[in-house]
Amino acid sequence: MIYATTLPERGTFEAWRAAARRAISHRIPPQDMAWEGAGGLFAAHPLPADPGPHQVRVGAGFLKLAGSVIWHSEPERFALLYQALWRLDRQEGDPLSQADPLGRRLHLLAKNVGRDIHKMHAFVRFRECPTDGPRRRFAAWFEPEHNTLEPGSAFFVRRFADMDWMIATPRLTARFEDGRLTFGPAARRPALPDDAAEGLWATYFANIFNPARIKLDAMRSEMPKKYWKHLPETRLIPDMLKDAEARVARMRAAGASQARPGAAAISTRYRAAMPQAVAAEGLPETLDAARAAALQCQRCALCSAATQTVWGSGAVDARLMIVGEQPGDHEDLTGRPFVGPAGQVLHQALAAAGASAETVWLTNAVKHFKFTTRGKQRLHNSPDRYEVEQCRWWLGLELAFIRPRVTLALGASAALALTGDASPLAARRGTVERGLHEGPVLISWHPAYVLRLRDPARQSRALAELTEDLRAALVMAQSDLAAPLPGTRSG
Ligand code: URA
């Protein structure tokens, strides 16, 4: 006699486990069990409703393996698991071992499921949806290879606990609303709105793309083509691949960590008369051309991990240039300097000093974000002397084209970049030094340093000093006390 049972789309593991226990309690052998598709079997009987006399006990190893295999799309998975259970119960060999053909097959299915869940975590791309409520709403469409939305959703619950979201797949839909996860019927691919995050992903992807490291097979196996259609960044792949050979050639010509030809002399060159040197040597002739060149910068290794070059912003005829250390996480993603927490402190201090970011030129000593990753976090790392010196090329061009009367160095890296002096900041803060470009450099605290101070009294003193330095720099910039760069603006 053949017994048949059909398992539900959701809660499949619990349902299979209950049915398998019942079947084995009646000692129904694997060849007499039809899992799924029972409707086609005329002779099939439903499983007895009551448990039989035989009780089965299995270890945690089997339950863990079964808890993974069950999500595979292989139609035979329920039957294979039942065969293993039957053999475990009868102590017929070791059906969970890699040496056993059944064990090998089950482990392979479990591995495929693990990989599919991993791909889902990596490749689901949410898009923001409009809402009137207090929680932000996101939706994503994804096509997993196996039935992995249910086991894979816990990750998104942990990660996006403070938002509402939905992941729709052709088999099942997961919804997380007001802190509660529910599953609903399968969905058709919805029309999801585009949002800014897509552009960000594309920029990020284009910038981390290293043509010298292309291994197409590895790339296809890590990011199989079938997922490409869900990923905004992969639209760029064909073009990036087309351009890859030329980019490798350009990278070789530039040298991975060596300065470009002529770069070694830059600090002495802009000490003299940068605009003439620019014209004579065919270097960028405008600020825009300098910026465009900086976007391609590979003068040191920082470009390989950062999202993009963060160029300066503000008034191109500013009398005051403010130089920070390097972009942080927010700046790296948006491409604009001083938009993160340290930036807010700076904007506050600027406002208190009676100026705004639009009237000055805001930039950094180093134009790429240097960080180490911890889990999902990107933690700031200060640039080293070599990186500061490599990036001085760009700072020199900004100085040459903006021609500020005064430069304000925020923190030690900026002071090093502008003056060449790496000595401690405490003794220098509030003083004016002579820059490598011959212009005056006022030294101050970095706003991130102000933010890091734990003691409220020290913190408000440091903020007051930063504001005072900004005020002093603005006064100098407006007066004739500060001489412009040699051969530049006269007033
Ligand atoms: N810190 C900096 O030095 N620069 C920025 O742009 C942001 C934070």
Side-chain angles (χ1 to χ4, degrees):
M1 182 148 72
I2 303 289
Y3 294 92
T5 189
T6 301
L7 300 170
E9 272 272 347
R10 275 162 272 155
T12 318
F13 181 60
E14 287 70 29
W16 176 85
R17 200 172 155 185
R21 269 182 195 284
R22 207 137 33 91
I24 220 159
S25 74
H26 290 282
R27 295 191 189 279
I28 299 172
Q31 64 274 17
D32 290 350
M33 271 302 294
W35 299 91
E36 304 279 71
L41 297 165
F42 295 117
H45 293 264
L47 271 179
D50 297 328
H54 180 66
Q55 294 302 310
V56 64
R57 286 203 174 283
V58 286
F62 173 72
L63 289 178
K64 183 158 181 261
L65 186 65
S68 177
V69 168
I70 211 88
W71 305 114
H72 204 283
S73 52
E74 164 60 61
E76 267 196 87
R77 64 198 182 281
F78 305 124
L80 293 171
L81 286 170
Y82 189 63
Q83 277 174 35
L85 183 64
W86 179 264
R87 282 179 50 194
L88 282 172
D89 185 43
R90 306 192 139 225
Q91 300 182 349
E92 288 174 10
D94 181 2
L96 305 188
S97 135
Q98 291 277 8
D100 186 292
L102 177 57
R104 254 200 318 281
R105 181 124 186 242
L106 291 173
H107 283 288
L108 185 64
L109 296 181
K111 192 170 161 194
N112 292 341
V113 166
R115 204 173 152 78
D116 200 44
I117 292 176
H118 175 75
K119 296 277 182 244
M120 173 160 62
H121 294 166
F123 297 146
V124 159
R125 294 282 180 273
F126 286 102
R127 299 180 207 197
E128 188 148 17
C129 301
T131 176
D132 297 331
R135 283 162 69 95
R136 293 174 73 189
R137 295 177 71 226
F138 293 84
W141 169 256
F142 195 68
E143 292 171 29
E145 197 167 340
H146 305 292
N147 308 299
T148 42
L149 182 61
E150 199 173 334
S153 287
F155 166 87
F156 296 106
V157 169
R158 283 194 303 277
R159 189 113 193 258
F160 304 114
D162 55 346
M163 320 169 175
D164 289 343
W165 49 260
M166 176 183 100
I167 303 172
T169 76
R171 292 196 190 97
L172 199 63
T173 297
R175 281 178 183 281
F176 185 72
E177 279 162 333
D178 294 325
R180 214 166 70 86
L181 178 68
T182 53
F183 293 94
R188 285 233 299 271
R189 186 179 183 140
L192 298 170
D194 281 350
D195 75 357
E198 280 216 352
L200 215 57
W201 269 106
T203 310
Y204 176 75
F205 191 75
N207 280 280
I208 59 165
F209 183 83
N210 182 345
R213 288 203 216 114
I214 297 177
K215 291 202 176 60
L216 280 179
D217 288 343
M219 186 165 153
R220 282 195 197 103
S221 95
E222 273 314 302
M223 193 191 277
K225 256 188 139 166
K226 63 177 179 255
Y227 297 114
W228 289 18
K229 59 181 178 289
H230 304 304
L231 307 179
E233 64 269 33
T234 51
R235 275 182 230 137
L236 306 175
I237 287 179
D239 280 348
M240 290 192 306
L241 289 179
K242 248 190 278 155
D243 186 39
E245 232 171 80
R247 278 188 67 184
V248 173
R250 287 202 295 274
M251 279 165 71
R252 266 199 211 107
S257 55
Q258 278 172 10
R260 287 183 177 162
I266 186 64
S267 59
T268 42
R269 189 176 302 134
Y270 71 69
R271 194 180 297 170
M274 188 65 186
Q276 284 90 321
V278 164
E281 309 249 338
L283 293 169
E285 287 189 26
T286 62
L287 187 64
D288 281 347
R291 176 178 178 275
L295 298 187
Q296 305 296 325
C297 178
Q298 292 165 2
R299 296 173 58 84
C300 75
L302 295 187
C303 61
S304 59
T307 305
Q308 56 192 313
T309 302
V310 178
W311 188 247
S313 77
V316 293
D317 58 352
R319 288 178 162 225
L320 172 61
M321 179 185 286
I322 300 177
V323 182
E325 182 189 72
Q326 61 163 343
D329 188 65
H330 290 76
E331 290 80 13
D332 173 75
L333 293 172
T334 56
R336 283 178 294 125
F338 289 104
V339 292
Q344 292 187 2
V345 173
L346 177 64
H347 290 284
Q348 241 183 48
L350 260 174
S356 76
E358 290 76 48
T359 57
V360 299
W361 184 256
L362 278 183
T363 191
N364 282 301
V366 169
K367 310 282 192 253
H368 279 119
F369 181 30
K370 180 175 179 182
F371 60 92
T372 42
T373 45
R374 188 183 302 148
K376 302 281 172 209
Q377 275 184 309
R378 302 193 301 168
L379 304 178
H380 159 277
N381 263 350
S382 286
D384 61 26
R385 187 175 194 126
Y386 174 79
E387 289 149 354
V388 168
E389 283 171 0
Q390 288 304 304
C391 227
R392 193 181 279 146
W393 167 261
W394 303 117
L395 189 59
L397 290 171
E398 281 177 301
L399 281 164
F401 291 116
I402 305 284
R403 303 173 194 172
R405 293 185 144 235
V406 180
T407 309
L408 181 68
L410 302 177
S413 301
L416 169 64
L418 287 163
T419 66
D421 180 355
S423 56
L425 209 71
R428 301 165 69 188
R429 184 251 120 208
T431 65
V432 178
E433 298 184 9
R434 190 181 183 83
L436 289 170
H437 59 293
E438 298 290 324
V441 178
L442 205 155
I443 314 279
S444 192
W445 304 126
H446 192 286
Y449 161 78
V450 176
L451 270 180
R452 279 198 306 273
L453 289 171
R454 288 284 173 93
D455 174 24
R458 284 185 65 200
Q459 190 179 55
S460 62
R461 192 167 63 240
L463 182 58
E465 287 170 344
L466 173 61
T467 311
E468 188 186 306
D469 295 338
L470 269 166
R471 209 173 274 128
L474 287 162
V475 170
M476 277 173 72
Q478 291 311 323
S479 76
D480 288 331
L481 291 175
L485 286 174
T488 64
R489 181 171 57 208
S490 56

